Structure formats: structure tokens, C-alpha cells
Amino acid sequence: MTDVEIEITAELVGDLVRDQHPDLADRPIRLGARGWDNQLWRLGDDLAVRLPWATGSADALLRKEFTWLPALAPRLPLPIPVPQRFGEPSGRFPRPWLVTTWVPGTPADRAPLTRTSDAAASLATFLMALHRPAPGDAPAGRNRGGPLADHAVQFAAGLTAATERELIHDPDAVRAVWEDAVTAPAWTGPALWLHADLHPANVLTADGGLCGVVDFGDLCAGDPAYDLAAGWLLLPDHAAGHFFAAYQPTPDTATLRRARGWAMARALGGILIGDAGVHGHPGGKSTWGPPAHAALRRLTTTQR
């Protein structure tokens, strides 16, 4: 995490919009959300201002979204935040920022998906539309969408930390899922477009169903197994089977094994971040813990 040197307020956001996009300056401004990398401020009813605030990498991620999302959005069957305007660094705020469309809904770490079949079908349809071969100049992932073994050191450290804090009760079962996944044959198909950050805080729900997907900062090209891990991370109990049946072409056994490994790594990370949030540590988010524990339970019981 980096030091937050500038306090982001409604007044600052209003000044930035007035300076660079004065035709939007008469819209009311209110806080929408504070995410991991960015803050989101509502700009009227249908737009939002997205500003980096806590991580040094966020600037490049915003530029990536501005470059790629307008072309990808039309083919996706769920609403996503589509960049409309770019904000240049300035004396008021020395980092880039975006004006995007606003996607209504409640993050799934606060309002979980409950409509099993509908949610599984919606997620599968969305990923089928996204998972197309990416062009050669598509962005590379930040250790996402590549070989699972590249994540081994981080996974081992996370498992040790979670075990020492007594956050998991059967580390051998966790390790077994990971070791099976690491030994699965690698992806040999084309590099596909990936969202690459499908955890509960990045999908939106309404009435128990999936109504939107947000935060494409980790958009990249690679192995679809990384996104397919969402079958265990996002969906209700016993929904993963519905999801993998709906996703076409049906993932082969090796891809499912890799997806389980990625899901376990993401669940373990969510458990640690959730625990940090409970204790008020920087970077902690208490709402991430419960869905991560639920995903770990599904994975260690091979629940489909």
C-alpha cells in the first residue's frame, strides 16, 4: 500500500470534473465506494468518477481500462463500467482518473448470489462472451492467467499464515487441492481475454441474481482456468456443476483442475484479507472473509 497523500472529497472530484470536463460539472457528486485500488464517486445517476487512491499500480490499470473496455463492452451480456472520459494528472490531483458508466447493484461480498441456476447460467454466459482469443498486444496478467506454479511461493506463504492464525482447520486438504492443480497439464490453447479478478466484491447482485461485473483493472490474456475459478468463489453451494455444464465448450479435466487450484489460492487470500479487516489492519476487508471460507469449504469437499 502507498501513503494516501491527497484526501479525495466531493469538492475535489467536482473541481477535477469542472477543470477537464466542464459539460459534466452540474451533476451532483456523492461517494459510491472505496475499493482496493480506486475510489468511485457517483456523478449524477448514470456516471461515476474512478480515482486511484491506495496502490501505486492503479494508474496503469485505469489507462488499460480506458484503452480496452469500450471495444469489449458491446459483446458482453452483463453491464460493466465503460470508460467515457479520461482525466489527465494535474496540479489538483497528480494521477490519471476516469469517468465511467455507473453499474447499479450490490457487491456480492455484501449480498451473495442465491439464485443457483440463474446465477450459474449468467456467469457462464458472461465468461463465454469474454473468453475470446485476445490480440497479440493485449495486456499481460500480473501473475494471473499464466502457469499456476508461478504462484507457488505466495500460496505456500498464505497457507502458512492462515494455519498459524488458526483460520483454517485442515491445511492438508487445502494443500492437496493445490498440489493436484499444479500437476495438471498446462493450457495449450490461445490466450483468451480474462477479467482476472472475479472475487465477490467485483460482481454485483440484485434479488439474488447476477446483475453486473466491475473492476477490470486486471484485464489480461491467458488461461481461462483463472476466471473459471469463479464457479467456486462466487456461486452458492452446489452451483459450480450448473456453471461448468452451462459454459461451452465444456472445460476439460485439466482446466477444471487448474481452476480449482486458482480458486483455492483466491479463497486463501480472501480469508487472510478478511481476517485483517476484522482486526482493523490496513488493506483488510472484513466482508471478504465469509465468502472465502465458504469457497474453501466447497473446494475441500469437492462440492460441485
Side-chain angles (χ1 to χ4, degrees):
M1 306 292 284
T2 61
D3 292 333
V4 181
E5 299 177 353
I6 298 177
E7 181 183 5
I8 299 175
T9 64
E11 181 179 9
L12 172 62
V13 175
D15 288 342
L16 293 174
V17 172
R18 188 175 303 106
D19 288 349
Q20 298 192 34
H21 303 287
D23 58 311
L24 303 177
D26 61 343
R27 290 171 169 247
I29 296 169
R30 63 191 187 277
L31 181 64
R34 288 188 175 94
W36 191 269
D37 293 303
N38 303 285
Q39 289 191 22
L40 203 63
W41 289 77
R42 299 286 301 273
L43 186 62
D45 293 330
D46 59 339
L47 296 177
V49 180
R50 186 165 158 84
L51 307 99
W53 76 301
T55 58
S57 62
D59 298 29
L61 304 187
L62 290 181
R63 293 183 184 277
K64 176 168 58 176
E65 291 184 14
F66 187 78
T67 299
W68 295 101
L69 287 188
L72 290 175
R75 78 177 191 218
L76 300 178
L78 289 171
I80 70 169
V82 184
Q84 304 293 302
R85 309 280 184 92
F86 192 83
E88 296 287 352
S90 66
R92 292 189 189 274
F93 189 74
R95 305 181 70 176
W97 47 279
L98 297 179
V99 176
T100 75
T101 55
W102 171 258
V103 182
T106 304
D109 61 325
R110 300 179 182 276
L113 293 163
T114 56
R115 287 163 36 197
T116 299
S117 297
D118 288 349
S122 294
L123 181 61
T125 301
F126 176 82
L127 288 180
M128 288 162 59
L130 177 63
H131 287 173
R132 307 282 180 84
D137 59 344
R142 298 187 295 175
N143 200 25
R144 305 180 184 205
L148 194 63
D150 290 352
H151 202 71
V153 173
Q154 186 176 350
F155 179 84
L159 181 57
T160 298
T163 303
E164 291 176 348
R165 296 186 205 174
E166 299 183 344
L167 299 175
I168 57 175
H169 304 296
D170 190 352
D172 289 340
V174 172
R175 190 177 295 107
V177 171
W178 173 261
E179 290 178 351
D180 176 72
V182 169
T183 59
W187 174 251
T188 58
L192 305 183
W193 276 118
L194 308 177
H195 178 281
D197 204 16
L198 288 172
H199 60 74
N202 284 344
V203 300
L204 303 178
T205 71
D207 300 321
L210 182 60
C211 69
V213 179
V214 298
D215 195 349
F216 282 74
D218 282 296
L219 180 75
C220 64
D223 177 3
Y226 196 91
D227 277 356
L228 294 176
W232 290 281
L233 296 172
L234 302 179
L235 298 174
D237 287 356
H238 308 292
H242 295 280
F243 167 67
F244 290 117
Y247 182 94
Q248 298 295 320
T250 303
D252 60 22
T253 299
T255 298
L256 289 177
R257 289 168 63 191
R258 295 192 308 276
R260 285 187 75 217
W262 282 121
M264 184 59 79
R266 299 304 302 272
L268 193 58
I271 287 170
L272 291 168
I273 291 169
D275 182 61
V278 167
H279 294 96
H281 294 162
K285 294 184 178 291
S286 60
T287 57
W288 289 24
H293 279 288
L296 184 142
R297 172 175 48 78
R298 296 180 196 117
L299 289 159
T300 53
T301 58
T302 63
Q303 183 188 111
R304 293 287 299 276

